[in-house]
Amino acid sequence: MTSTVVVGGFFGDEGKGKIISYLAIKDNPKIVVRGGAGPNAGHTIRDGDKVYKVRMLPSGFLNKETKVMIGPGVVINPEVLKKEIQDFNVSGRSFIDKNCGIIENSHLTRDSKGELKEKIGSTGSGTGPANSDRAMRILKLAKDVDSLSSLITDVPFEINSALSANENLLIEGTQGTFLSLWHGTYPFVTSKDVTASGICADIGLGPTKVDEVIVVFKSYVTRVGTGPLENELSVEEAEKKGWSEFGTVTGRQRRAADFDFDLARRAIMLNGATQVSITKLDVIFSECTGKTSFDELSEDAKAFIKNIEKELNTPVTIIGTGPAVNDVIDRRT
Ligand code: IMP
Ligand code: MG
């Protein structure tokens, strides 16, 4: 059995969704389980000509043999969840914990104006206000919502049982290390800890049960919303490099900067990384688009990866070379 935690190393939007989809198909885990904040997350997954924009479901759902689960630490928007289960055809194998918190209209209203929206640049998804109510012990939980009853299971029990039965488990984090409420650029952060330890607490997996921690970095840094970004490029510079991106949840233009080794080293430390994944190598080195073996990369691209391994003292095992699920170089042995 192997339990693998996948988390973002910068400010979210590192391309975790695509890496998790790949691992869900390649490693065939019994369960893909999601921790993290809530529907403030957005993952874009491409399967052939199909593009999925996911906010609630774990990104591993493309593997039809896999159960997808959401841990009790995550707050849920029932409408968004039910729509994704239906639209992406995942009914019968999607589950949530009875203790998942519930986002209601009042949370959306509180998140759509005032400090959170204007000062922090929140996603307006209600996630922050719901977590605030949870800390106040007044948030409604999934077990109190009739229309969710068919989705409820004991997520910590299910995932720990799968490991005991020697099955693979894939653990999906959301957001990124420097959006962590504890370790990020406070107050410009999300409403939870989103490092590997926090993600495991969200799903009820103890620290001795984790085998691998893969920290995902994009080949450059982006940040959506406000807060510090070292060596930020102007919009024109970012567009020239092809780094201009737009948020999955909010549609806002993402700010961009070069790969930041200081941040990356700290992310390796905070998450206890055993492996690194680098995404969007093709955006920096277009000649690498769609490559699936390291030997096929250009000398410049190889040097870029080797330098990251040296600076971070951690193996780069999974490299994204294009938007499709299989545009991946997998160097795991
Ligand atoms: P909130 O999590 O909606 O309260 O937003 C707080 C900050 O975290 C804002 O700067 C958001 O843009 C950012 N944020 C939250 N979730 C994500 C994500 O999944 N990707 C990128 N940024 C995020
Ligand atoms: Mg995203």
Side-chain angles (χ1 to χ4, degrees), residues 38 46 56 82 96 174 182 185 188 211 224 248 251 282:
R46 280 192 182 75
M56 282 276 39
K82 283 186 270 185
I96 63 176
T174 58
W182 309 151
T185 53
F188 305 102
D211 297 308
V224 63
T248 309
D282 54 299

Side-chain angles (χ1 to χ4, degrees), residues 118-170:
E118 279 142 37
K119 182 175 156 202
I120 313 293
S122 77
T123 59
S125 60
T127 305
N131 278 324
S132 150
D133 279 1
R134 184 144 197 176
M136 296 301 287
R137 272 60 54 86
I138 56 173
L139 187 66
K140 192 187 268 186
L141 300 184
K143 63 184 176 196
D144 306 319
V145 181
D146 282 345
S147 69
L148 294 176
S149 61
S150 64
L151 300 176
I152 288 178
T153 192
D154 183 342
V155 171
F157 178 78
E158 290 295 330
I159 62 172
N160 282 282
S161 302
L163 286 179
S164 300
N166 278 322
E167 303 279 1
N168 287 336
L169 182 66
L170 181 58

